């Protein structure tokens, strides 16, 4: 409900059920925004495992995972295989049993879960993982037995992308051997080992803050036979469980990533003995995009020095690239590579890289796989509740507004009733159409223009590296650098435009969150704080107020970067009577404020403040820096006819 219109406010006063429903929807929206985003990426190979019943009355299809030794188990996640479309119900098993045991024959076992005649899984067709709480039961073997699957050309067909077993926050099932009954094997596409390879259509295990520096490492090579190696020296030798390689995203906003087409891993022990080949990985489908981490099991091999070599580059046209965004080396539940320097060797030259062990992918902070899967499940559960509540909320809002309209018309007289009713009904009918238009525009900007900008940025970056390597003209390298910078800035500006068009993110709290993200991106080399002391963060902003207030904030931040020479910035929002106050303080060299010497930035800030009918105060000196304060009446932020 738009609280900026008087009918909506009256309806809210007299309808307690509407208030409760609206508050619940708002709370759920805020909560779901803290969870990892649900993104489904199309996979071409290693889709997972498919099982079926060989004949009527035959044995139930089953999957057994050997964890190698007994583990105290926390949670087991069943990850559905990818859907063909948003309406696809999938082939997640309808009725099944999950058992735990320390014996291969399961003569002694614990039944962790068993479906009843109407399985709850039949309602879980949203692609999210299904968690089963193991309650610290210890076991070596995990068995899934399917009693009822789907009738799609064969008996009791079912499929899963991954079975993830979590023990003490560590996914102990990665790389574990799998045995099956009723296996429907399609070479390279559907096969049992794909259940424990760590690859799912849900993407990368990430959520939270953005990288504060250049993400990962990317090297352009001349020939397809050229290799690049990354070496890590551990503090001491250890028994290694696995190496995890995260893909390098060309553009952080779009589904396009780079990994070497083939990788080898060599180990050397503490005594400095000759390196031994520990593992190899090769992309099963050359050229296919990997939007998932690559898990390479080492099965307890001992080593101190690890060398990861890309033996075949990723190829796009004339470009040949070896790239990674993060390297993890796991032993006994710990990532031993965290914050260690990485030595990269390419074409006989060596360099130290620190961005491959900083805990960030190209896009986001890496989080433990178990926490990531649990957040996806919680997001799905809340989104299902929201899918039920939102139509109820819209219906209650529509009925309450209509009733309030009639009541107000009776009070104010029949002469006022008819125009109010017509205007209000037209507003309610057109709102959904406007929402659909905004979503369509945002989607077109994100998918088409954003993808092109990402490609331009990549091509300019690799061309500039080629010029530097070949000692080409510095002027051309500088021009390419400017092209890359402009493409990157344009992509970020486009993301701000998409956000401004998003109706679901139009509260003051959403604005504050966007301000934090923008500050994290622009002020990454400056010490800064962002504080919100307002107690009205759920108040909704009109589209124009949201736009002008955010652009005022960005203009002020750009002024700090371009002119202030500051090393500390303080950003604060608070309530002052019936106004919302925004203040940006820096300790820089100040800026001219006389009418004859005012900077273009100051004039832009004054123009934004004037459109918002706000009070702008600017104090600046070389000794104290610059203080910018804007006060805007809250009523002007929710519904102000002069905003354009």
């Amino acid at each position: 409900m738009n609280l900026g219109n008087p009918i909506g406010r009256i309806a809210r006063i007299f309808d307690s059920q509407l208030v409760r429903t609206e508050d619940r929807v708002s709370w759920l929206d805020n909560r779901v925004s803290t969870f990892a985003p649900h993104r489904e990426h199309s996979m071409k190979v290693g889709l997972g495992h498919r099982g079926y019943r060989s004949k009527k009355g035959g044995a139930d299809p089953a999957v057994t995972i050997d964890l190698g030794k007994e583990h105290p188990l926390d949670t087991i996640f069943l990850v559905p295989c990818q859907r063909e479309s948003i309406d696809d119900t999938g082939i997640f098993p309808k009725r099944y049993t999950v058992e735990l045991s320390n014996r291969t024959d399961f003569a002694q076992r614990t039944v962790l879960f068993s479906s009843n005649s109407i399985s709850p899984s039949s309602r879980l067709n949203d692609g999210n993982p299904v968690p089963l709480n193991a309650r610290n039961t210890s076991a070596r073997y995990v068995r899934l037995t399917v009693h009822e699957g789907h009738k799609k050309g064969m008996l009791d067909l079912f499929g899963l992308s991954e079975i993830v077993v979590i023990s003490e926050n560590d996914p102990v099932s990665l790389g574990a051997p799998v045995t099956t009954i009723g296996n429907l094997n399609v070479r390279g596409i559907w096969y049992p080992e794909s259940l424990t390879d760590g690859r799912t259509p849900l993407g990368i295990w990430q959520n939270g803050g953005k990288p504060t520096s250049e993400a990962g490492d990317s090297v352009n090579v001349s020939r397809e036979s050229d290799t690049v190696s990354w070496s890590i020296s551990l503090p001491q030798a250890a028994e290694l469980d696995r190496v995890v390689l995260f893909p390098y995203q060309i553009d952080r906003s779009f589904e396009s990533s780079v990994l070497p087409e083939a990788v080898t891993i060599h180990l050397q022990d503490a005594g400095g003995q000759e390196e031994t080949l520990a593992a190899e990985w090769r992309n099963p489908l050359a050229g296919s995009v990997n939007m998932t981490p690559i898990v390479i099991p080492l099965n307890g091999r001992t080593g101190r020095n690890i060398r990861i070599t890309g033996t075949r580059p990723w190829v796009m046209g004339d470009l040949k690239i070896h790239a990674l965004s993060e390297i993890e080396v796991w032993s006994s539940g710990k990532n031993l590579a965290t914050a260690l320097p990485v030595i990269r060797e390419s074409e006989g030259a060596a360099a130290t890289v620190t961005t491959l062990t900083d805990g960030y992918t190209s896009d986001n902070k890496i989080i433990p796989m178990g926490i990531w899967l649990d957040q996806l499940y919680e997001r799905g559960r809340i989104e299902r509740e929201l899918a039920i509540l939102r139509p109820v909320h819209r219906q209650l809002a529509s009925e309450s507004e209509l009733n309030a309209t009639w009541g107000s018309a009776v009070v104010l007289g029949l002469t006022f009733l008819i125009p109010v009713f017509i205007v209000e009904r037209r507003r309610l009918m057109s709102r959904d159409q406007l929402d659909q238009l905004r979503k369509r525009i945002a989607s077109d900007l994100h998918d088409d223009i954003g993808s092109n900008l990402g490609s331009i940025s990549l091509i300019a970056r690799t061309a500039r590296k080629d010029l530097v390597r070949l000692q080409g003209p510095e002027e051309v390298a500088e021009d390419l650098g400017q092209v890359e910078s402009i493409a990157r800035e344009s992509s970020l500006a486009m993301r701000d435009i998409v956000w401004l068009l998003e109706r679901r993110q139009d509260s003051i709290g959403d604005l504050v969150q966007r301000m934090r993200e923008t500050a994290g991106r622009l002020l990454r080399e400056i010490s800064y704080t962002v504080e919100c002391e307002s107690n009205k963060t759920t108040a909704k902003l009109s589209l124009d107020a949201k736009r002008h207030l955010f652009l005022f904030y960005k203009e002020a931040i750009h002024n700090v970067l371009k002119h202030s020479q500051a090393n500390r910035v303080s950003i604060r929002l608070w309530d002052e009577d019936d106004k919302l106050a925004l203040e940006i303080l820096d300790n820089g060299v100040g800026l001219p404020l006389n009418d004859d010497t005012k900077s273009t930035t100051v004039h832009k800030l004054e123009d934004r403040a004037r459109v918002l009918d706000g009070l702008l105060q600017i104090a600046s000196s070389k000794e104290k820096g610059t203080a910018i304060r804007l006060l805007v009446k809250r009523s002007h932020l929710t519904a102000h006819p002069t905003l354009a």
Side-chain angles (χ1 to χ4, degrees):
M1 178 183 294
N2 182 2
L3 299 181
N5 92 78
I7 299 299
R9 290 199 296 270
I10 294 172
R12 186 181 174 89
I13 291 172
F14 292 102
D15 194 334
S16 59
Q17 184 180 2
L18 172 61
V19 172
R20 288 193 300 271
T21 304
E22 193 169 79
D23 289 345
R24 178 65 177 172
V25 169
S26 178
W27 184 85
L28 291 173
D29 276 331
N30 290 332
R31 179 165 173 76
V32 79
S33 66
T34 64
F35 294 139
H38 178 106
R39 299 173 180 170
E40 295 190 43
H41 307 280
S42 177
M43 298 172 64
K44 306 299 182 184
V45 295
L47 304 187
H49 166 69
R50 279 186 174 183
Y52 73 107
R53 192 183 303 275
S54 59
K55 59 182 179 180
K56 189 173 183 179
D60 288 343
V63 173
T64 303
I65 297 176
D66 181 1
L67 303 178
K69 63 179 182 179
E70 182 179 347
H71 291 276
L73 306 185
D74 302 330
T75 309
I76 298 175
F77 290 94
L78 306 181
V79 184
C81 50
Q82 70 185 29
R83 299 178 292 176
E84 299 299 324
S85 67
I86 195 66
D87 298 323
D88 180 19
T89 59
I91 52 175
F92 193 91
K94 292 183 177 180
R95 291 195 304 114
Y96 58 94
T97 297
V98 176
E99 300 166 295
L100 310 175
S101 181
N102 286 310
R103 297 180 52 168
T104 56
D105 59 2
F106 281 76
Q108 295 177 344
R109 64 186 184 275
T110 299
V111 177
L112 179 63
F113 175 83
S114 183
S115 303
N116 54 26
S117 59
I118 301 177
S119 168
S121 67
S122 63
R123 299 193 297 271
L124 298 175
N125 299 319
D126 56 1
N128 284 305
V130 177
L132 304 174
N133 190 345
R135 302 178 184 88
N136 294 317
T137 303
S138 294
R140 171 175 175 172
Y141 300 97
V142 177
R143 182 168 70 186
L144 166 72
T145 304
V146 177
H147 311 303
E148 181 183 357
H150 300 261
K151 305 300 186 288
K152 293 188 176 182
M154 55 191 64
L155 296 174
D156 292 320
L157 175 69
F158 78 96
L160 292 172
S161 169
E162 191 84 3
I163 298 178
V164 182
V165 182
I166 304 296
S167 171
E168 298 177 331
N169 298 321
D170 187 35
V172 294
S173 57
L174 295 178
V178 181
T179 57
T180 62
I181 297 174
N183 175 36
L184 184 62
N185 196 346
V186 180
R187 184 177 178 84
I189 306 296
W190 298 97
Y191 50 93
E193 294 80 7
S194 181
L195 279 176
T196 58
D197 63 359
R199 301 174 68 251
T200 77
L202 302 176
I204 302 174
W205 323 324
Q206 59 184 9
N207 190 27
K210 304 293 182 181
T212 57
S213 60
E214 186 69 23
D217 190 35
S218 172
V219 180
N220 191 52
V221 296
S222 304
R223 300 177 299 274
E224 291 191 32
S225 59
D226 290 344
T227 65
V228 174
S229 66
W230 294 273
S231 300
I232 301 174
S233 294
L234 303 177
Q236 59 187 21
E239 293 183 356
L240 307 179
D241 298 327
R242 62 188 179 275
V243 168
V244 184
L245 306 178
F246 289 82
Y248 181 96
Q249 286 185 248
I250 296 175
D251 189 287
R252 298 177 186 177
S253 304
F254 307 99
E255 184 176 327
S256 184
S257 68
V258 176
L259 271 174
E261 292 287 293
V263 171
T264 61
I265 297 179
H266 289 79
L267 298 179
Q268 186 181 58
D269 62 20
Q273 300 297 319
E274 183 179 353
E275 283 187 333
T276 59
L277 178 64
E280 294 183 87
W281 176 84
R282 182 179 296 270
N283 191 350
L285 181 62
S288 62
V289 173
N290 288 284
M291 289 301 294
T292 61
I294 301 302
V295 179
I296 304 177
L298 297 181
N299 302 316
R301 296 282 296 271
T302 300
R304 179 177 181 182
N305 301 316
I306 301 101
R307 181 164 61 89
I308 301 160
T309 303
T311 57
R312 285 178 53 202
W314 176 81
V315 179
M316 182 181 73
D318 294 332
L319 296 177
K320 303 168 187 66
I321 301 173
H322 286 285
L324 297 172
S325 70
E326 185 76 2
I327 298 173
E328 294 182 342
V329 180
W330 287 88
S331 174
S332 300
K334 294 182 179 180
N335 176 19
L336 303 183
T338 300
L340 292 180
V342 179
I343 305 301
R344 179 235 294 152
E345 295 184 41
S346 173
E347 298 183 347
T352 301
V353 181
T354 60
T355 53
L356 282 173
T357 55
D358 60 359
Y360 289 87
T361 66
S362 302
D363 188 43
N364 245 314
K365 184 177 182 180
I366 298 171
I367 61 176
M369 189 179 189
I371 294 176
W372 174 68
L373 290 170
D374 192 59
Q375 288 189 8
L376 291 178
Y377 167 74
E378 285 296 316
R379 170 180 282 275
R381 185 183 63 79
I382 291 177
E383 287 179 344
R384 287 192 294 274
E385 183 177 352
L386 284 171
I388 296 172
L389 283 179
R390 283 201 173 102
V392 174
H393 174 246
R394 285 195 295 267
Q395 181 66 24
L396 288 172
S398 178
E399 292 175 355
S400 297
E401 288 189 6
L402 181 59
N403 293 336
T405 300
W406 279 103
S408 299
V410 171
V411 173
L412 297 177
L414 291 176
T415 56
F416 187 65
L417 170 64
I418 296 175
V420 169
F421 177 80
I422 293 174
V423 170
E424 193 62 22
R425 292 303 295 170
R426 290 183 62 184
R427 184 188 65 79
L428 291 173
M429 293 173 62
S430 63
R431 183 171 58 190
D432 287 343
Q433 296 175 353
L434 290 174
D435 281 348
Q436 291 298 323
L437 178 61
R438 291 166 70 177
K439 290 178 181 178
R440 190 159 58 248
I441 293 172
S443 176
D444 291 343
L445 285 171
H446 184 278
D447 294 341
D448 298 334
I449 300 176
S451 180
N452 292 337
L453 289 172
S455 298
I456 292 171
S457 177
L458 174 66
I459 292 170
R461 184 187 315 143
T462 54
R464 179 161 52 87
K465 289 182 179 179
D466 286 342
L467 281 172
V468 172
R469 179 169 55 80
L470 298 174
Q471 298 182 349
E474 293 183 0
E475 295 82 2
V476 177
E478 291 175 357
D479 290 342
L480 288 171
Q482 292 180 0
V483 170
E484 179 189 354
S485 177
I486 291 171
R488 184 169 57 250
E489 292 177 3
S490 299
S491 178
L492 293 173
M494 189 210 64
R495 291 172 65 187
D496 288 337
I497 293 173
V498 171
W499 176 78
L500 286 170
L501 289 171
E502 181 57 57
R503 178 179 288 277
R504 291 183 301 173
Q505 300 183 25
D506 58 0
S507 70
I508 293 176
D510 295 325
L511 175 65
V512 172
Q513 180 61 29
R514 192 65 178 184
M515 289 168 63
R516 294 185 195 276
E517 295 175 0
T518 301
R521 188 177 71 235
L522 299 178
L523 301 176
R524 57 181 178 270
E525 297 179 1
I526 299 175
S527 175
Y528 72 94
T529 59
V530 180
E531 299 178 359
C532 177
E533 301 170 5
S534 172
N535 58 6
K536 301 182 183 298
T537 55
T538 59
K540 301 296 184 180
L541 299 171
S542 68
L543 176 61
D544 284 317
K546 171 183 170 184
R547 171 173 171 262
H548 286 293
L549 197 55
F550 179 70
L551 293 178
F552 176 94
Y553 168 77
K554 280 190 66 177
E555 191 69 47
I557 296 299
H558 279 297
N559 180 62
V560 171
L561 293 173
K562 293 180 181 178
H563 307 297
S564 73
Q565 302 178 28
N567 59 20
R568 188 171 66 254
V569 178
S570 173
I571 302 160
R572 189 165 68 100
L573 284 94
W574 72 95
D575 299 319
E576 190 163 310
D577 298 328
D578 63 340
K579 303 178 183 66
L580 177 69
L582 168 64
E583 183 180 72
I584 300 102
L585 305 177
D586 69 63
N587 65 345
V589 299
L591 64 154
L593 296 178
N594 296 328
D595 290 339
D596 296 334
T597 59
K598 278 186 179 178
S599 66
T600 302
T601 297
V602 174
H603 285 301
K604 289 182 178 179
L605 293 176
E606 290 176 341
D607 291 341
R608 298 286 182 198
R610 190 179 303 111
V611 172
L612 288 163
D613 274 357
L615 174 62
L616 176 64
Q617 300 170 346
I618 302 179
S620 181
S621 68
K622 292 184 178 180
E623 296 76 20
K624 297 183 179 180
T626 301
I628 299 173
R629 179 178 295 178
L630 175 67
L631 293 94
V632 185
K633 285 188 176 181
R634 191 166 282 100
S635 59
H636 292 177
L637 296 175
T638 54
H640 188 19
T642 63
L643 296 180

